[in-house]
Structure formats: structure tokens, C-alpha cells
Amino acid sequence: MRLEKYLAKSGVASRRTAQKQIIAGRVTVNNKRVLIPGTHIELDRDFIEVDGQPVEGTPKPVYLMLNKPPGYVTTVRDERHRPTVMEFVKDIPERIYPVGRLDRDTEGLLLLTNDGEFANRLTHPRHEVKKTYIAWVRGKPSKKAIHRLRKGVKIKGGFTSQAEIAPISHRQDHTQFRISIREGKKRQIRRMFQAVKHEVTFLKRIAIGELMLGDLPVGRYRMLSPTETDNLRK
């Protein structure tokens, strides 16, 4: 088995993060540092360590959804000591981590798991998993601006892909939109509206693929059903 796949299956990190750990020299096989992702290991004889800590056998897989509140970052640890979403899953004995990210000021549906293959499938750009949001935007974007957003706008790092955008309501000086995108550039939706001169003042993710947030209370989590995890894999 490839080393990064084993680390992902063992719940250490997603496959892409495991590759970075290997390149950074944090992984040893039989007490020898391995720097090349893709290195093959023998599960029945090789001894694997990450940061000097032995990697245990494949743990029980955990798949859960959290209704993330605003003000929390989607990392396991934060170098700036900001509160992380891990505070809401302290009672989970397995070592889990967020799947992808939500900006600190964005709330809503966030998945956490210890299954690196599952996480990689949902976050890798080639799978184009649809993510749906509700946004409140300052002002009332014109039909031309909405058309630009649907076709793709230029932000730092290139043009965005096509998006599904529909206005829902208008209240005082704000407009509410339902937005679905199939990519995940940093702060993408906020930057998309900024490109057409409108500010996003509220953003909430309500769905990943066909999985809906529903009425899960803010700051609470629930386990996914086998059917839900299978649908996300597909």
C-alpha cells in the first residue's frame, strides 16, 4: 500500500495532507525518514511513525456533520490560538479532522471524518462536488452582475467556474441568494460578489452534494448514516 494512503486510512490526515507530511520529513518507516510520496509499505512488517508517534492500525471510520457557528476556524489546531471547530467534537474518541474548510465568518454544514479517502474524494477538484450556500449581500446586484457571476468572474488566482445563482428575497438594503459552486477557492463566494462590487454580509453552507444541513442546531453534530456516506462517495 502507498504510504500516504495508509496514513489516510489510519486517520492521521487526508491523503493530500499526508503527502505534505512526508515531503516535510515528518514520516519514518522502520526508523528511516521517507521523503517521497508514493513509497510502498508492507502492512504486516513495516513500522510507521509520524512526528515520532507510532501510527496505529486502521481505526473505526467516523463520518459526522457539524453545524459550524461563525467565529471558528476549520483546523484541528490553530497557530494563532483562535477557537477551532474541534471544540464541538471533543467527545469523539477517534482522531478526526474537518473535510475541506469554511471561512471563520461562514457558518453551516461542515463534515468531519478520519477517513482520508472519503475526505480526498469530497475535496479534490476533479470530483466537482456541489456545495450550496445561502448568502445575504449588501445592495441589489443587477441582472448583468448576476449573469457574470453565473458565467464566472475574475478573482485573484484566475476565473471562477460556472455557478448556480438565484436571488431569493430582498429586504431593505440586502438581497438574499442561493448559490451552488463546484470548486473551493479561498473565500470564493465573498470574493465573487466583491468582483461585482457587492459585499457578502452573511454566508451559510446548507448542503454538500445531496446532503442537507436541515434543522441541526448551531454548534451541534450528528453522525451520518451509511446511505448518506455512500451517496457522498458517489
Side-chain angles (χ1 to χ4, degrees):
M1 182 183 292
R2 293 178 183 270
L3 179 56
E4 60 267 30
K5 182 175 181 179
Y6 173 73
L7 294 177
K9 281 185 168 292
S10 298
V12 173
S14 68
R15 186 184 293 194
R16 281 191 289 175
T17 299
Q19 290 175 337
K20 294 178 181 178
Q21 291 174 331
I22 293 168
I23 294 170
R26 296 170 57 188
V27 182
T28 60
V29 178
N30 301 325
N31 299 314
K32 293 182 179 179
R33 199 176 306 278
V34 175
L35 301 173
I36 302 174
T39 298
H40 284 269
I41 59 170
E42 298 292 336
L43 301 183
D44 57 348
R45 72 181 188 187
D46 288 332
F47 177 64
I48 318 298
E49 291 181 300
V50 177
D51 296 332
Q53 298 298 315
V55 178
E56 301 176 358
T58 305
K60 170 188 173 183
V62 175
Y63 310 94
L64 64 84
M65 59 185 291
L66 169 73
N67 188 349
K68 173 193 172 299
Y72 291 81
V73 294
T74 52
T75 57
V76 174
R77 290 176 295 276
D78 184 68
E79 295 179 353
R80 295 162 59 184
H81 305 292
R82 294 172 296 181
T84 80
V85 294
M86 304 310 293
E87 295 186 19
F88 301 101
V89 292
K90 289 180 178 178
D91 58 329
I92 302 295
E94 290 80 11
R95 181 167 55 182
I96 61 176
Y97 47 85
V99 177
R101 64 190 174 207
L102 281 179
D103 301 331
R104 183 175 61 171
D105 297 330
T106 301
E107 58 186 82
L109 176 55
L110 178 70
L111 299 176
L112 293 97
T113 188
N114 58 355
D115 183 339
E117 290 294 304
F118 177 79
N120 183 66
R121 185 166 187 82
L122 289 175
T123 56
H124 198 285
R126 73 171 178 267
H127 295 300
E128 296 187 340
V129 177
K130 183 168 74 171
K131 297 168 283 288
T132 304
Y133 300 78
I134 293 295
W136 280 99
V137 177
R138 195 179 302 280
K140 188 175 182 179
S142 65
K143 291 182 179 179
K144 182 179 179 180
I146 296 172
H147 178 74
R148 287 181 58 198
L149 292 168
R150 288 175 178 152
K151 293 297 183 182
V153 294
K154 186 176 182 180
I155 61 176
K156 186 177 180 180
F159 280 87
T160 60
S161 299
Q162 291 186 355
E164 301 171 23
I165 300 181
I168 299 174
S169 64
H170 184 74
R171 184 183 304 165
Q172 296 179 345
D173 62 343
H174 280 72
T175 306
Q176 187 183 38
F177 286 88
R178 181 185 178 97
I179 307 156
S180 294
I181 58 176
R182 296 180 182 272
E183 54 187 343
K185 294 181 174 66
K186 186 176 181 181
R187 297 178 65 83
Q188 179 171 334
I189 291 177
R190 297 179 188 277
R191 293 162 65 197
M192 286 169 63
F193 277 97
Q194 186 178 24
V196 295
K197 311 301 182 183
H198 290 273
E199 177 191 4
V200 173
T201 59
F202 172 85
L203 188 61
K204 180 177 184 177
R205 184 158 66 191
I206 61 170
I208 298 175
E210 300 303 319
L211 180 67
M212 302 294 295
L213 178 63
D215 58 0
L216 183 66
V218 175
R220 301 290 296 274
Y221 73 84
R222 72 166 177 83
M223 296 297 178
L224 301 186
S225 69
T227 299
E228 288 172 330
T229 57
D230 288 345
N231 287 340
L232 286 169
R233 285 192 179 94
K234 296 174 183 177

